[in-house]
């Protein structure tokens, strides 16, 4: 089965703390009639600091959509390769071993996708397949894992590279002062993440089943208004309540795999905000401590969109407490309202080596 190897994650060097964010909101929106509410909402996000690709003074300026998109391309080309190399090293593979690149991002636009530049610049084969995903927002991290899983299931000897590049700060719109926009200004951060899904071999989460689910009639709850000034983020106040209708889909996926969703060993959950994790604790019957890695991502990096699930998984792996066969769930949520979910088991390096030796030596083995 396909194995999701240890992700690599990098955040930019410019940092803004929650205290600085609150001071900025007081200064920039001093006359806003609902400023006390905005300050309270930002204080309750659970975010302690965020990382930005540019200093805050430059982030607050809007030089136009064309310039911003050029910055996106320049920064992506500058920051993605090192993260890709680390992810390949984690998987003990080289660029020539990759058969598919899944690139996810909702904060900038390129055509051809950055996948074409990566193939030409980093030694990937010219036959490497490309799958850019641009319109699933925060759910795209889970979708990338699932599509890579599907690909490696169809082609068991193949390997897929996932890249998530999110520069949310490039979507800041100075003229947007509704509650949802002001809240997002204090919630989202920038990051690049990558991980390899191996058709066989490697160390990580053995992906065993995946699923998607969508809440009907919610497609305008998380969305972009695309204007001459770029992407204007729109967030409906009902979004924090979406875990109640999505929790049954997560439970059903586990049950389809003959698992109890409340009895798993690890959970990699997209932390769009603390309410999501609090509600899943209640609706799935999972202890709050189970989501500590997602909360850590939120606290230290903010909501980094599609990269959240890869960072939360990285934290779980680096904690080093997963036993062989530990059962877990990965779930990302985003526009639609969409959930992309998967379940799998932890397989350490020595177990995979033993499995490969037994497969190779067995009659008819063809590895």
């Amino acid at each position: 089965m396909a194995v999701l190897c240890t992700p690599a994650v990098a955040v930019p060097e410019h940092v803004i703390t929650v205290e600085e964010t609150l001071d900025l909101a007081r200064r920039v929106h001093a006359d806003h009639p609902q400023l006390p509410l905005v300050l309270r909402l930002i204080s309750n996000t659970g975010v302690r600091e965020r990382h930005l690709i540019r200093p805050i003074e430059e982030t607050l300026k809007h030089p136009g959509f064309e310039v911003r998109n050029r910055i996106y391309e320049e920064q992506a080309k500058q920051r993605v390769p090192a993260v890709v190399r680390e992810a390949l090293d984690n998987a003990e593979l080289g660029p020539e071993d990759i058969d598919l690149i899944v690139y996810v991002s909702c904060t900038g636009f390129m055509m051809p996708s950055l996948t074409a530049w990566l193939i030409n610049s980093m030694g990937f084969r010219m036959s490497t397949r490309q799958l850019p995903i641009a319109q699933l927002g925060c759910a795209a991290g889970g979708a990338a894992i699932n599509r890579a899983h599907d690909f490696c299931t169809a082609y068991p000897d193949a390997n897929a590279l996932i890249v998530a590049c999110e520069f949310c700060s490039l979507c800041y719109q100075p003229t947007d002062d509704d509650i949802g926009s002001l809240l997002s200004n204090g919630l989202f951060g920038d990051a690049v993440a990558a991980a390899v899904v191996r058709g066989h071999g490697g160390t990580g989460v053995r992906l065993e089943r995946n699923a998607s689910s969508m809440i009907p009639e919610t497609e305008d709850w998380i969305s972009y208004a695309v204007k001459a000034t770029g992407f204007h983020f729109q967030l409906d106040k009902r979004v924090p309540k979406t875990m109640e209708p999505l929790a049954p889909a997560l439970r059903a996926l586990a049950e389809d795999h003959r698992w109890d969703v409340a009895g798993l060993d690890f959970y990699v959950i997209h932390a769009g905000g603390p309410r999501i994790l609090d509600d899943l604790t209640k609706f799935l019957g999972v202890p709050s401590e189970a989501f500590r890695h997602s909360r850590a991502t939120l606290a230290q990096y903010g909501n980094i969109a599609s990269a959240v699930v890869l960072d939360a998984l990285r934290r779980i792996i680096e904690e080093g407490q997963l036993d062989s066969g530990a059962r877990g769930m990965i779930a990302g949520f985003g526009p639609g309202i969409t959930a992309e979910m998967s379940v799998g088991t932890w397989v350490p390096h020595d177990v995979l080596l033993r499995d490969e030796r037994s497969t190779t030596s067995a009659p008819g083995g063809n590895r």
Side-chain angles (χ1 to χ4, degrees), residues 87-102:
L88 290 170
D89 288 345
N90 291 344
E92 300 180 308
L93 296 177
E96 68 281 359
D97 299 311
I98 298 300
D99 302 281
L100 167 71
I101 301 176
V102 184

Side-chain angles (χ1 to χ4, degrees), residues 229-259:
T229 46
F231 304 135
H232 291 249
F233 185 66
Q234 300 177 133
L235 182 68
D236 191 282
K237 64 182 180 181
R238 293 170 288 185
V239 168
K241 300 178 181 179
T242 50
M243 289 304 102
E244 183 171 8
L246 283 179
L250 274 69
R251 183 178 296 108
L253 173 61
E255 290 175 351
D256 287 344
H257 210 53
R258 298 185 178 179
W259 290 356

Side-chain angles (χ1 to χ4, degrees), residues 207-285:
L207 301 169
E208 298 174 12
R209 185 183 296 266
N210 68 63
S212 300
S213 184
M214 192 167 72
I215 304 174
E217 310 298 330
T218 59
E219 63 267 29
D220 58 347
W221 288 20
I222 302 175
S223 62
Y224 274 164
V226 183
K227 302 180 182 180
T229 46
F231 304 135
H232 291 249
F233 185 66
Q234 300 177 133
L235 182 68
D236 191 282
K237 64 182 180 181
R238 293 170 288 185
V239 168
K241 300 178 181 179
T242 50
M243 289 304 102
E244 183 171 8
L246 283 179
L250 274 69
R251 183 178 296 108
L253 173 61
E255 290 175 351
D256 287 344
H257 210 53
R258 298 185 178 179
W259 290 356
D260 175 7
V261 73
L264 303 183
D265 301 299
F266 64 94
Y267 300 84
V268 182
I269 304 296
H270 172 77
R275 175 71 181 272
I276 287 177
L277 301 175
D278 292 343
D279 282 0
L280 282 180
T281 295
K282 178 172 65 173
F283 296 124
L284 295 182

Side-chain angles (χ1 to χ4, degrees), residues 77-295:
K77 290 179 177 179
Q78 174 184 325
R79 298 177 186 274
V80 167
V83 181
V84 167
R85 282 191 286 269
E86 183 180 345
L88 290 170
D89 288 345
N90 291 344
E92 300 180 308
L93 296 177
E96 68 281 359
D97 299 311
I98 298 300
D99 302 281
L100 167 71
I101 301 176
V102 184
Y103 179 79
V104 294
S105 180
C106 62
T107 53
F109 181 79
M110 292 173 61
M111 192 171 75
S113 164
L114 190 74
T115 51
W117 181 84
L118 289 171
I119 291 170
N120 280 281
S121 303
M122 293 192 65
F124 294 96
R125 291 179 283 108
M126 290 297 117
S127 58
T128 306
R129 295 169 174 88
Q130 305 171 63
L131 179 58
I133 302 176
Q135 293 157 307
L136 279 176
C138 297
I145 293 170
N146 291 350
R147 300 297 76 78
H149 178 199
D150 294 342
F151 179 79
C152 290
T153 300
Y155 303 96
D157 293 323
N159 304 300
L161 170 69
I162 297 166
V163 181
C165 178
E166 300 291 12
F167 302 145
C168 302
S169 62
L170 289 175
C171 296
Y172 171 71
Q173 298 291 347
T175 60
D176 293 352
D177 63 355
D178 59 281
I179 298 296
S181 295
L182 296 182
L183 174 60
S184 70
N185 292 341
L187 180 63
F188 287 93
D190 299 344
V192 175
V196 171
V197 175
R198 292 185 54 151
H200 61 81
T203 301
V205 179
R206 178 180 282 151
L207 301 169
E208 298 174 12
R209 185 183 296 266
N210 68 63
S212 300
S213 184
M214 192 167 72
I215 304 174
E217 310 298 330
T218 59
E219 63 267 29
D220 58 347
W221 288 20
I222 302 175
S223 62
Y224 274 164
V226 183
K227 302 180 182 180
T229 46
F231 304 135
H232 291 249
F233 185 66
Q234 300 177 133
L235 182 68
D236 191 282
K237 64 182 180 181
R238 293 170 288 185
V239 168
K241 300 178 181 179
T242 50
M243 289 304 102
E244 183 171 8
L246 283 179
L250 274 69
R251 183 178 296 108
L253 173 61
E255 290 175 351
D256 287 344
H257 210 53
R258 298 185 178 179
W259 290 356
D260 175 7
V261 73
L264 303 183
D265 301 299
F266 64 94
Y267 300 84
V268 182
I269 304 296
H270 172 77
R275 175 71 181 272
I276 287 177
L277 301 175
D278 292 343
D279 282 0
L280 282 180
T281 295
K282 178 172 65 173
F283 296 124
L284 295 182
V286 174
S288 179
E289 176 69 8
F291 299 146
R292 64 190 181 279
H293 305 96
S294 296
R295 293 186 191 278

